[in-house]
Amino acid sequence: MLKFEDVLAGCLKNDNKCKEVVYKSFYGYLMGVILRYVNDRNDAEELINDCFIKIFKGIGQFGAPKDPEQLQKAFKGWVAKISSRTAIDFLRSKRTFLYVDDMEEPPQPITELNAISQLHVQDIMKLLNELPETHKLIFNMYELEGFSHEEISKLLNIPESSSRVYLTRAKNKLRILYSKSLVTDFETN
């Protein structure tokens, strides 16, 4: 079996077998990253293929770490960044964003949820998928991908304050959806 650095070297030489190894190894991971942004599975599959085109074209730009044991982890982070930006570009091209600078947020009551609940990944994804698209996008970028509000504003071409408002609204909406899911779970048991 080939070592991962040999697979990457093969990709640099345009070796189709090495590309196939990378494709099969990272397809599922990239699907998970893309589905955090895009609900439609057909769009997600198309975006993944776009990602692999970008990955194979730009593989020479991947900065491999000095420690060979960190190579696969670093590559995984690199492809995740490409895939999240590809999804963001797709969403940006599909829709225009509203500016919310002048809109006031009504005060939200602060509540504590004291229920013991075990959320699974599917439950979390279901809650995220119920968010409006822009809220979901900014929540993913800020909370999951680690982008700053400044980076989000540049990528999406919106003011930083809009990014903050969308994030706040996404969190509030998630709290409401989560508490509703707790009530629903309680009523069914």
Side-chain angles (χ1 to χ4, degrees):
M1 179 162 237
L2 288 173
K3 290 193 238 176
F4 192 67
E5 55 256 20
D6 295 335
V7 171
L8 290 182
C11 289
L12 276 168
K13 295 176 186 171
N14 211 19
D15 180 334
N16 287 333
K17 288 188 182 203
C18 292
K19 286 181 175 182
E20 183 180 353
V21 168
V22 170
Y23 186 87
K24 287 181 177 179
S25 299
F26 290 94
Y27 182 88
Y29 175 69
L30 293 185
M31 179 61 84
V33 172
I34 296 287
L35 284 175
R36 287 194 304 229
Y37 293 94
V38 180
N39 293 337
D40 186 303
R41 191 136 182 114
N42 292 327
D43 286 341
E45 288 174 358
E46 191 175 318
L47 288 171
I48 288 172
N49 289 327
D50 291 347
C51 291
F52 278 110
I53 290 169
K54 291 177 183 180
I55 289 165
F56 294 134
K57 279 185 178 178
I59 203 158
Q61 298 170 358
F62 169 64
K66 291 180 179 155
D67 183 4
E69 291 185 18
Q70 297 294 317
L71 181 63
Q72 195 160 356
K73 185 177 179 182
F75 187 75
K76 191 175 185 180
W78 185 69
V79 298
K81 190 174 191 178
I82 289 171
S83 63
S84 65
R85 291 194 176 191
T86 301
I88 291 165
D89 289 344
F90 169 77
L91 292 172
R92 187 182 326 145
S93 70
K94 200 173 109 170
R95 162 176 252 214
T96 57
F97 292 93
L98 300 173
Y99 293 97
V100 292
D101 284 337
D102 299 329
M103 299 173 71
E104 270 192 48
E105 182 74 19
Q108 297 289 324
I110 298 173
T111 59
E112 290 281 329
L113 294 175
N114 293 325
I116 298 172
S117 172
Q118 197 166 12
L119 281 178
H120 297 286
V121 173
Q122 295 87 355
D123 299 326
I124 295 169
M125 288 304 294
K126 184 179 175 194
L127 292 175
L128 284 175
N129 286 335
E130 290 185 40
L131 289 177
E133 193 172 280
T134 306
H135 293 71
K136 178 181 173 183
L137 173 64
I138 291 176
F139 182 86
N140 278 327
M141 291 176 73
Y142 187 84
E143 293 294 341
L144 302 177
E145 302 292 336
F147 287 97
S148 69
H149 287 294
E150 180 182 357
E151 292 170 317
I152 293 169
S153 76
K154 287 178 184 172
L155 282 169
L156 300 181
N157 198 25
I158 61 173
E160 275 186 59
S161 58
S162 293
S163 175
R164 285 185 175 83
V165 170
Y166 280 122
L167 180 64
T168 301
R169 289 181 179 173
K171 287 179 177 180
N172 288 337
K173 178 88 172 159
L174 282 173
R175 282 186 196 98
I176 291 166
L177 291 170
Y178 178 66
S179 57
K180 283 181 182 176
S181 74
L182 289 176
V183 169
T184 305
D185 289 346
F186 180 74
E187 288 173 351
T188 58
N189 289 334

